[in-house]
Amino acid sequence: MSSFDTTIAKIRAFRDARDWMQFHNPKNLAISINLESAELLEHFQWKSMEESEVHARAAREEIADEMADVAIYLFELADNLGIDLLSSVDAKLAKNESKYPVAKAKGSAAKYNQL
């Protein structure tokens, strides 16, 4: 079993021990991903680039917790919907590779349709 599969199993076990599957429909999980992402963003709100880098080092554990919350809900949503998240990431990277070829995109923040 891969470490990814082990993590999914732990998430399921945690959820199922608390009988929370009844609340973990796609809408609620998507909302939870957004809410946890907002908590991650709070760490950087109103900070300059330099301040955000200093804060990221100082609040590393708290930021890691918020990132883990996002990941847990994302992993569970993918699992509940039968989506192979790792394969989806690979497929999306391949799509992005063609949308953002190095020769056009290197050093640019422009969207693919503006390259």
Side-chain angles (χ1 to χ4, degrees):
M1 184 180 280
S2 73
S3 59
F4 186 78
D5 292 334
T6 300
T7 299
I8 294 293
K10 287 179 184 178
I11 292 168
R12 282 186 203 138
F14 180 89
R15 175 201 64 209
D16 294 348
R18 290 154 182 82
D19 192 26
W20 285 352
M21 184 61 185
Q22 62 184 316
F23 309 117
H24 289 199
N25 60 65
K27 175 193 70 78
N28 287 347
L29 290 172
I31 289 169
S32 295
I33 291 166
N34 194 26
L35 293 173
E36 295 300 339
S37 295
E39 289 180 17
L40 175 60
L41 282 171
E42 280 185 306
H43 281 277
F44 304 103
Q45 185 179 25
W46 313 121
K47 291 177 176 57
S48 69
M49 183 66 73
E50 295 78 21
E51 291 168 332
S52 69
E53 289 173 1
V54 169
H55 177 72
R57 287 189 294 276
R60 184 176 171 87
E61 185 175 342
E62 295 162 35
I63 291 169
D65 282 349
E66 297 305 341
M67 292 171 67
D69 286 339
V70 171
I72 289 166
Y73 285 130
L74 181 62
F75 291 177
E76 185 182 355
L77 179 59
D79 183 52
N80 290 357
L81 294 176
I83 294 172
D84 181 333
L85 192 56
L86 295 179
S87 294
S88 296
V89 168
D90 287 342
K92 183 60 176 175
L93 285 171
K95 287 178 186 176
N96 287 347
E97 185 72 30
S98 67
K99 287 166 63 170
Y100 295 94
V102 173
K104 290 183 177 181
K106 189 169 186 173
S108 173
K111 192 170 178 177
Y112 67 91
N113 61 355
Q114 297 177 340
L115 291 172

